Amino acid sequence: MSDTTRLNPATIAAQAAGAVDAQSGGVVPSLQMATTYLRDAAYQPLRPDNIYLRDQSDIVRVAETVLAQLEGAAEALLFPSGMAALAAAFRTVPNGGRVLVQSQIYWGTTKWLRDFCTRRAIDLREVEASDAQAFAQACADFKPSLVLVETPSNPWLRVTDIEAAAQAVHAVGGLLMIDSTAATPVLQKPLAHGADIVMHSATKGINGHSDVLAGVLATNDTDAQIWTDIKADRHDAGAVIGPFEAWLLVRGMRTLPLRMREMSRNAQAIAEFLDAHPLVETVLYPGLPDHPGHKIADRQMAGGFGPLLSFVVQGGADKALQVAGRLQLFHRATSLGGVESLVEHRHTIEPHTGIPEGLLRLSVGIEDINDLTADLQQALGN
Ligand code: PLP
């Protein structure tokens, strides 16, 4: 693989950071499904860097190289899901430790963390991280060792100033991990703003085709104890991604910058359309100038504000479910970041978390914008 670290994201992605198949001459890397690798008659490995699939895989290394270069990270580690990546990071916290997490983020993260911290006697606090003052105060009072912030957050689309958050966390000796799933490495690079670890559900925009479950952690501080512990945890506990998923990821990421650009453009147009619609109460999208996090997002994101947006329909749950039921193009399904547009009524999924009953979350795909807005127009019934 040539040194592609100085290239721009579209080039890194399109050429999979220079990966080709040297053996066959193929312009794409091959898929090798073996779980174990040969030794010669003198019992030497044919490839010292390939012993057993839980430890090594060429295609996983290719995917991690692409991800690290896109993220501007020294190293990236793939996991079999976003939750497996998050869990590997939090399992490094000792029993009795202190963890601070943004409130009202992806419900799966909150739920798992609450259960995990109870089991392990870890002191867990939740704070609204987009409120910079409340966040800084919580850091100063609580002195957490590991902090998780999701920006933009799912499904509230709250935006946290990563640089300010990193300062507050570092002032008390903690580490900041950013869940940057909704932005992908193309639109936001948290490590460049002072975060210690960036995490993604690569199931979402990074893969982009709704056919791979994957997670990633990336850092610049590969000597940090937490990174050593995460790597050991992945290796020893075996939360590794399979070669086929890694191969699909490499293929999906070739168009990542292109997809993010188009999705952001479509999402921006839909946010503006919904904002002007008489039956829509609120639109939550950081690309709108009156969004409370717009200025920060404009500063720390580049190339768009991502595919995720939420809006509140007048008339509560019944009306929102009617609108969702009438949509023809937006698939009614959870998840986000795929090329096809999705709609979700989050209150049905997490009824006790304060989600407005009329809130619909959209993941905007790369379909023609006129088709998408026409579909929303007919579904809203006006
Ligand atoms: N983080 C965010 C922001 C998510 O939206 C999700 C999934 O929806 C996850 C983490 C978990 O990722 P996965 O489903 O790949 O385990």
Side-chain angles (χ1 to χ4, degrees):
M1 202 177 291
S2 59
D3 177 21
T4 50
T5 48
R6 285 168 202 284
L7 297 172
N8 291 301
T11 312
I12 294 165
Q15 303 210 351
V20 291
D21 184 36
Q23 215 165 16
S24 69
V27 297
V28 298
S30 64
L31 170 59
Q32 169 54 265
M33 292 297 287
T35 53
T36 191
Y37 302 88
L38 291 168
R39 289 173 178 266
D40 64 15
Y43 215 68
Q44 294 308 306
L46 295 192
R47 282 263 312 269
D49 55 344
N50 277 351
I51 305 291
Y52 183 60
L53 187 60
R54 177 151 46 75
D55 311 330
Q56 302 105 353
S57 151
D58 281 355
I59 193 66
V60 172
R61 278 189 285 247
V62 169
E64 288 175 343
T65 300
V66 176
L67 282 161
Q69 290 190 12
L70 290 177
E71 196 72 65
E75 200 170 6
L77 292 176
L78 271 169
F79 292 83
S81 69
M83 288 312 301
L86 274 169
F90 280 102
R91 278 201 295 264
T92 65
V93 177
N95 289 9
R98 285 188 302 276
V99 157
L100 182 68
V101 176
Q102 182 178 357
S103 53
Q104 293 191 309
I105 54 170
Y106 169 57
W107 171 237
T109 302
T110 303
K111 181 188 178 303
W112 179 80
L113 268 171
R114 286 177 186 172
D115 292 347
F116 171 76
C117 290
T118 303
R119 272 199 313 278
R120 291 270 308 274
I122 291 170
D123 199 352
L124 169 70
R125 298 230 180 132
E126 296 176 36
V127 65
E128 183 37 68
S130 65
D131 178 342
Q133 231 177 337
F135 180 79
Q137 195 63 52
C139 288
D141 293 346
F142 185 49
K143 301 186 176 43
S145 67
L146 184 59
V147 178
L148 175 69
V149 166
E150 195 181 278
T151 185
S153 71
N154 170 13
W156 286 91
L157 279 304
R158 295 200 176 113
V159 175
T160 297
D161 183 332
I162 299 170
E163 211 171 305
Q167 274 169 19
V169 175
H170 293 161
V172 294
L175 296 173
L176 176 64
M177 177 158 68
I178 297 288
D179 182 337
S180 191
T181 297
T184 81
V186 170
L187 304 180
Q188 180 172 272
K189 292 182 172 47
L191 300 178
H193 297 285
D196 301 284
I197 295 175
V198 57
M199 174 269 158
H200 298 270
S201 165
T203 313
K204 308 299 185 315
I206 287 178
N207 179 61
H209 295 77
S210 306
D211 53 11
V212 170
L213 201 63
V216 63
L217 298 175
T219 192
N220 272 324
D221 192 358
T222 52
D223 294 332
Q225 188 59 45
I226 189 169
W227 196 247
T228 307
D229 293 347
I230 288 169
K231 283 171 93 162
D233 185 87
R234 182 179 75 156
H235 175 271
D236 298 348
V240 293
I241 189 168
F244 185 47
E245 283 75 14
W247 188 90
L248 282 172
L249 260 188
V250 171
R251 183 161 93 155
M253 287 191 293
R254 287 176 186 271
T255 54
L256 176 57
L258 207 66
R259 286 186 278 107
M260 278 305 125
R261 197 159 60 226
E262 195 60 17
M263 283 176 183
S264 297
R265 196 164 28 211
N266 278 354
Q268 182 73 33
I270 287 176
E272 287 167 14
F273 164 80
L274 291 170
D275 205 32
H277 199 285
L279 296 181
V280 172
E281 245 171 55
T282 323
V283 181
L284 307 175
Y285 189 65
L288 292 177
D290 60 354
H291 182 277
H294 175 71
K295 276 206 183 87
I296 297 166
D298 199 35
R299 201 172 61 230
Q300 73 187 13
M301 297 177 79
F305 299 92
L308 189 63
L309 78 84
S310 296
F311 67 104
V312 181
V313 180
Q314 272 178 27
D318 289 350
K319 186 73 187 166
L321 284 166
Q322 275 169 25
V323 171
R326 281 198 292 259
L327 283 165
Q328 304 284 318
L329 289 177
F330 288 79
H331 295 308
R332 287 170 288 280
T334 192
S335 203
L336 64 118
V339 289
E340 65 290 309
S341 295
L342 305 178
V343 60
E344 193 180 28
H345 185 243
R346 280 306 304 179
H347 185 78
T348 301
I349 312 296
E350 41 173 325
H352 308 299
T353 60
I355 298 280
E357 294 192 10
L359 184 140
L360 290 177
R361 194 189 77 183
L362 299 181
S363 173
V364 180
I366 60 166
E367 301 93 335
D368 188 284
I369 186 60
N370 294 319
D371 292 339
L372 293 178
T373 42
D375 195 27
L376 283 164
Q377 180 81 37
Q378 67 77 22
L380 282 161
N382 196 351

